[in-house]
Amino acid sequence: MEAEKKQQEQQRKQREQQAFEAALAQEQASLEEQSYAVTAQSYMSAIAQRVSSKWSRPASARNGMQCLLLIKLVPTGRVVSVDVLKGSGNSAFDLSAVQAVKSVEQFDEIKDMPREVFERHYREFEFLFNPQDLRQ
Amino acid sequence: MKYSWIFLFILSLFATPVMARLTIEITSGVDNPTPIAVVPFAGSLGLSEDIQDIVSADLLRSGFFRPIPKTDMLSMPKAEAEVFYRDWRMLGASYLVVGQMTNMGGRYQLQFELYDVISQRKIFQKQVAGTDSQLRDIAHAVSDAVYEAITGIRGAFSTKILYVEDLKQAGAGRYRLVYADADGARDRVLFSSSEPLLSPAWSNDMSKVAYVSFETSRPAIFIQELATGKRTQMTNFQGLNGAPAWSPDDQSLALVLSKDGNPEIYTLEIATKKLRRVTDHFAIDTEPNWTADGRSLIFTSNRGGSPQIYQVSLATGRVERLTFEGDYNARPRLSPDGKTIIMVHRRDGIFHITSQDVKTGNMRILTETWLDESPSIAPNGAMLLYATQHQNKGVLAAVSMDAGVKFRLPSKQGDVREPAWSPFSK
């Protein structure tokens, strides 16, 4: 009777310990994800700026046009593919967006990025071309 | 503001599953012209016109392109097999135009190709043909095709312009009505007179031009056929006869007459010469322009105390004021899509050419100008021509509708004024 009780108590403690470790691991993982996300975010403006500086818009481009592109990179930062996920309806506008990314060719800042961040956020990501500085 | 945006962004990253794709938003770009290489076309050496030069000049003037000098080119390919993208990429070219001219018994045929250097692909291959006197037309056709493929807007390099030249020397040919290519080349005189010529206006089918001539000692409106030179006097009223504008169907002219006391707007049916009065106000009403549907006119009036732009319905006569900003807005022109009014706007004593969005009323200054004169819009709505002064001489200048590009047309003998850009040929 006494022995049985002791065993149960031990099993309960073991389960608690496991749950605690699992929670700890989860928290650790989520902390890591958070830090990856924050790191990923810190690269965004540099990457956006590079594309902005290469984006030469056609005369037909207007505020309100939007083009969503899917970009695939390799860890060196080289662009391997650019696909239009959602076009603006103006083919010259979409073409100018694709040209902007392709003319960057190589995102140098990706090279120094932690591998985990690259795998999670930059192997495949999207560019939304959404001009605010053109006429209506 | 910025802080909270970052905070929101982090939140949204956490809220989404780990592998959700990151989206980077691009909200601004450069207005740098796109570099393009136009390779001298094979077989075009020694022709009376330099085709490559004309195409490069057209593209440069559009403001959207920066042609690469031919002296920088590493190779001069004439067909796809000879195109090495890497060479062109090194030069910084985004696009490449190559071609080959064949002379077939005095008739020239140009086969030309446009390449996307960055994506390494051919965009199109086209052909255009013509005689020796049409070499400039061939060049402009190349410019039109390249411009449209890349910008999505129809090119207007093949269109024509009219303007009035004043040689400033009394004599039979002092005032000249001139017809020229949109780049100012191949100008020819349609009509000349010792008395002033004003307000040339194209018919929409491009076969005729209406203008005001003082040859009968008072202003009268004439229509002249471009092909034959045949002239018909349309009005001979007491006082002012001015500012003719063709209706969209070319059946009527809107015009200004002061025969009943002060300037009012009328329409004149060309075939029957039937006259109809549109406005009736003690103020000055002038400078009529048709809306694309032919149902209304926009015009300038000082009925509110200062010159402003109004719209009148031809069916009901109802008048609506369109401009409110500032105390001087005149010389209105509607853009071909009817969405924008271009006008002369005076601010602090200086004339500006401005554009106003018809729907929102938002006004935007395109350029300063020295003359209070009508601008004229290209049929593709991308550029406008206006008369201004340069080194004490009347010259034509152009500005893009987004104000990004400005250039002057080559200077002529005399003072150049009153430009009118043709419609597209049908």
Side-chain angles (χ1 to χ4, degrees), chain B residues 344-411:
Chain B
V344 175
H345 169 80
R346 193 179 61 198
R347 185 174 291 186
D348 305 327
I350 296 168
F351 292 118
H352 298 277
I353 290 176
T354 58
S355 72
Q356 178 170 316
D357 189 291
V358 171
K359 216 182 270 171
T360 64
N362 285 339
M363 193 186 260
R364 177 174 175 155
I365 292 182
L366 299 180
T367 184
E368 225 177 71
T369 176
W370 290 99
L371 294 173
D372 171 22
E373 257 200 31
S374 290
S376 177
I377 307 173
N380 64 359
M383 278 272 173
L384 61 95
L385 262 182
Y386 61 101
T388 187
Q389 245 165 350
H390 179 60
Q391 292 168 346
N392 288 322
K393 212 165 157 230
V395 295
L396 296 185
V399 58
S400 63
M401 290 283 259
D402 55 9
V405 194
K406 290 166 197 180
F407 64 87
R408 273 190 305 271
L409 257 65
S411 177

Side-chain angles (χ1 to χ4, degrees), chain A residues 33-34 37-38 40-41 43-44 47-49 51-60 68 70 85 90 92 95 98-99 102-105 119-122 124-136, chain B residues 5-6 9-10 13-14 18-34 64 89 94-95 116-119 121 123 147-153 340 355 357 360 362 364 381-382 401-402:
Chain A
E33 285 308 333
Q34 278 185 32
V38 170
Q41 195 251 328
Y43 284 90
M44 281 175 71
I47 288 171
Q49 222 161 48
V51 176
S52 280
S53 73
K54 294 279 185 190
W55 186 28
S56 163
R57 290 80 57 92
S60 53
L68 187 65
L70 175 63
L85 288 180
N90 177 312
L95 176 65
V98 172
Q99 296 281 67
K102 283 189 172 168
S103 33
V104 170
E105 227 176 326
E119 291 301 339
R120 279 171 174 75
H121 296 294
Y122 285 104
E124 263 189 47
F125 68 101
E126 292 165 3
F127 274 124
L128 176 67
F129 287 76
N130 182 21
Q132 308 288 314
D133 58 340
L134 296 172
R135 68 188 168 113
Q136 294 296 325
Chain B
W5 180 83
I6 290 170
F9 169 77
I10 294 172
L13 252 185
F14 293 161
V18 177
M19 293 310 282
R21 269 202 304 257
L22 188 67
T23 302
I24 299 181
E25 198 173 335
I26 311 289
T27 57
S28 65
V30 287
D31 294 312
N32 289 344
T34 302
F64 185 64
R89 186 133 188 175
S94 295
Y95 297 94
D116 176 343
V117 174
I118 291 163
S119 298
R121 68 187 174 94
I123 297 177
Y147 182 83
E148 182 163 0
I150 298 171
T151 67
I153 297 176
T340 313
S355 72
D357 189 291
T360 64
N362 285 339
R364 177 174 175 155
M401 290 283 259
D402 55 9

Side-chain angles (χ1 to χ4, degrees), chain A residues 8 10-20:
Chain A
Q8 270 179 3
Q10 209 168 5
Q11 276 174 357
R12 190 183 60 82
K13 270 191 174 157
Q14 215 168 0
R15 277 200 301 274
E16 264 179 16
Q17 182 67 24
Q18 273 169 4
F20 175 72

Side-chain angles (χ1 to χ4, degrees), chain B residues 180-235:
Chain B
D181 287 358
D183 61 2
R186 289 193 292 191
D187 47 329
R188 78 183 155 91
V189 176
L190 293 180
F191 179 70
S192 63
S193 168
S194 59
E195 303 305 319
L197 300 170
L198 291 171
S199 309
W202 293 91
S203 66
N204 295 286
D205 65 3
M206 281 180 76
S207 71
K208 300 182 200 77
V209 47
Y211 54 88
V212 177
S213 168
F214 284 65
E215 66 200 74
T216 59
S217 78
R218 72 171 175 222
I221 293 171
F222 286 78
I223 288 180
Q224 181 169 337
E225 286 177 18
L226 284 173
T228 62
K230 189 181 147 227
R231 303 170 75 234
T232 313
Q233 184 170 350
M234 296 305 296
T235 66

Side-chain angles (χ1 to χ4, degrees), chain B residues 113-334:
Chain B
E113 286 148 37
L114 173 65
Y115 295 91
D116 176 343
V117 174
I118 291 163
S119 298
Q120 310 204 347
R121 68 187 174 94
K122 175 149 74 173
I123 297 177
F124 68 59
Q125 175 179 325
K126 287 180 193 285
Q127 281 179 5
V128 56
T131 61
D132 184 61
S133 67
Q134 292 170 321
L135 286 172
R136 293 195 77 92
D137 297 310
I138 292 179
H140 293 315
V142 173
S143 310
D144 282 338
V146 168
Y147 182 83
E148 182 163 0
I150 298 171
T151 67
I153 297 176
R154 186 168 170 188
F157 304 109
S158 300
T159 56
K160 309 288 178 186
I161 55 172
L162 293 171
Y163 57 84
V164 175
E165 190 174 15
D166 175 0
L167 298 180
K168 297 215 156 170
Q169 282 175 324
R174 174 173 173 177
Y175 296 94
R176 317 204 285 183
L177 176 63
V178 181
Y179 171 97
D181 287 358
D183 61 2
R186 289 193 292 191
D187 47 329
R188 78 183 155 91
V189 176
L190 293 180
F191 179 70
S192 63
S193 168
S194 59
E195 303 305 319
L197 300 170
L198 291 171
S199 309
W202 293 91
S203 66
N204 295 286
D205 65 3
M206 281 180 76
S207 71
K208 300 182 200 77
V209 47
Y211 54 88
V212 177
S213 168
F214 284 65
E215 66 200 74
T216 59
S217 78
R218 72 171 175 222
I221 293 171
F222 286 78
I223 288 180
Q224 181 169 337
E225 286 177 18
L226 284 173
T228 62
K230 189 181 147 227
R231 303 170 75 234
T232 313
Q233 184 170 350
M234 296 305 296
T235 66
N236 186 25
F237 296 106
Q238 198 80 48
L240 192 73
N241 294 246
W246 297 81
S247 63
D249 62 4
D250 285 338
Q251 300 298 307
S252 306
L253 290 176
L255 43 93
V256 178
L257 300 173
S258 65
K259 65 186 182 67
D260 300 324
N262 77 318
E264 297 288 356
I265 291 173
Y266 293 77
T267 57
L268 177 68
E269 211 177 278
I270 292 166
T272 62
K273 294 206 175 176
K274 207 178 96 195
L275 200 62
R276 190 183 147 217
R277 184 163 170 171
V278 179
T279 61
D280 187 356
H281 198 281
F282 57 82
I284 293 170
D285 293 327
T286 186
E287 300 159 2
N289 245 257
W290 297 78
T291 55
D293 61 9
R295 288 193 198 148
S296 331
L297 298 173
I298 61 168
F299 63 99
T300 311
S301 174
N302 65 351
R303 57 184 63 199
S306 65
Q308 296 291 347
I309 293 159
Y310 294 80
Q311 178 163 356
V312 58
S313 154
L314 290 172
T316 65
R318 206 177 85 88
V319 174
E320 186 191 351
R321 182 168 164 176
L322 300 180
T323 56
F324 295 91
E325 212 169 305
D327 61 2
Y328 185 97
N329 291 301
R331 321 280 175 197
R333 287 270 191 256
L334 268 174

